[in-house]
Amino acid sequence: MKYRSVFDIIGPVMVGPSSSHTAGAAKIGRMARKLLGEIPEHATVTFYGSFAETYKGHGTDVAIVAGLLDFDESNTQLPQSLEIAEKKGMDVSFIVDKETQVESPNTARVHLSAGNTELELVGVSIGGGKIELTEVNGFSISLTGSNPALLVLHYDKYGAVAEVAGLIAKYELNISYMEVSRQEKGRLALMVIQTDEEINEGLAAEIAGLPNILNVAVLS
């Protein structure tokens, strides 16, 4: 792994014992919360690898729920996140999976629901408080959260990608990374677009108004 500064090695300012198990877990939970767009009513978190072995001792469960509450890793309320979630009516359950083989030892699958809205993602804590999302609602992706990002769920139709790219150009944003994942030709597809600049909510609204677009999420 290539480090850019000493802070990439020692990790971020945080409440908790481990940048991988605490800060990374909090960021996975927070990314899930942002993609869901609201506080979840139900959350099921499955831990794999070393997360499954040591999550209680490292407070990984506490940290990931803190993220679901939209707390960052430096929030002083992080240690009380399980109690706060219960008071807010969030039903949280944890599953330990020591059998499934995963590429990264610090892997969590998060399934959320609120009303009729559901979200499932897989997040990996890669060290130093950094994370990568590898799956969203069954779509394979690669999203680190290091840049502002758009996630655009759409029908796999001709011109959909070009129309979105055209609006991004209209707002004078530079695309630093882009991928399109689909489960089956002509059905649903997911665009993951990272930009160098912050993403204006007006841009997200215009993209949402395009033909064949089903959902748009912005990650700052």
Side-chain angles (χ1 to χ4, degrees):
M1 180 183 293
K2 182 179 180 181
Y3 296 106
R4 291 177 294 179
S5 76
V6 67
F7 295 105
D8 290 337
I9 301 173
I10 65 174
V13 176
M14 62 184 180
V15 178
S18 167
S19 61
S20 292
H21 288 249
T22 307
K27 286 183 178 179
I28 291 170
R30 201 170 185 211
M31 291 275 270
R33 162 67 181 266
K34 286 181 179 294
L35 289 174
L36 185 70
E38 57 186 307
I39 187 170
E41 296 170 1
H42 304 279
T44 302
V45 181
T46 304
F47 291 125
Y48 305 93
S50 64
F51 270 3
E53 297 287 348
T54 64
Y55 78 94
K56 285 191 176 180
H58 283 106
T60 312
D61 51 346
V62 175
I64 209 161
V65 171
L68 297 179
L69 291 167
D70 206 22
F71 298 165
D72 66 21
E73 63 272 18
S74 64
N75 194 305
T76 56
Q77 296 184 88
L78 188 151
Q80 289 80 45
S81 64
L82 296 179
E83 293 84 355
I84 295 171
E86 184 177 1
K87 289 178 181 178
K88 289 181 176 291
M90 187 192 304
D91 175 42
V92 183
S93 60
F94 298 98
I95 298 172
V96 173
D97 185 339
K98 298 183 180 180
E99 303 299 323
T100 301
Q101 298 297 310
V102 292
E103 290 188 13
S104 171
N106 301 326
T107 299
R109 180 179 295 273
V110 183
H111 183 274
L112 306 177
S113 63
N116 295 322
T117 304
E118 292 192 42
L119 172 80
E120 184 171 271
L121 64 74
V122 176
V124 176
S125 180
I126 58 178
K130 297 182 180 299
I131 68 165
E132 180 182 7
L133 300 187
T134 61
E135 182 183 317
V136 173
N137 285 348
F139 292 96
S140 295
I141 67 169
S142 178
L143 182 62
T144 64
S146 58
N147 287 72
L150 277 165
L151 276 72
V152 182
L153 182 67
H154 61 100
Y155 291 115
D156 182 30
K157 299 292 186 181
Y158 174 80
V161 174
E163 288 179 324
V164 171
L167 283 178
I168 291 173
K170 171 187 168 183
Y171 278 78
E172 300 183 346
L173 302 184
N174 187 51
I175 296 174
S176 59
Y177 173 84
M178 181 175 183
E179 69 172 313
V180 180
S181 175
R182 65 184 184 184
Q183 296 169 332
E184 186 179 341
K185 182 179 178 180
R187 300 293 293 275
L188 294 180
L190 181 71
M191 293 183 223
V192 178
I193 304 167
Q194 295 189 58
T195 63
D196 290 332
E197 300 83 13
E198 288 296 331
I199 296 165
N200 189 295
E201 289 293 339
L203 168 60
E206 285 201 51
I207 291 174
L210 291 172
N212 300 310
I213 302 300
L214 297 174
N215 191 33
V216 179
V218 176
L219 294 176
S220 300

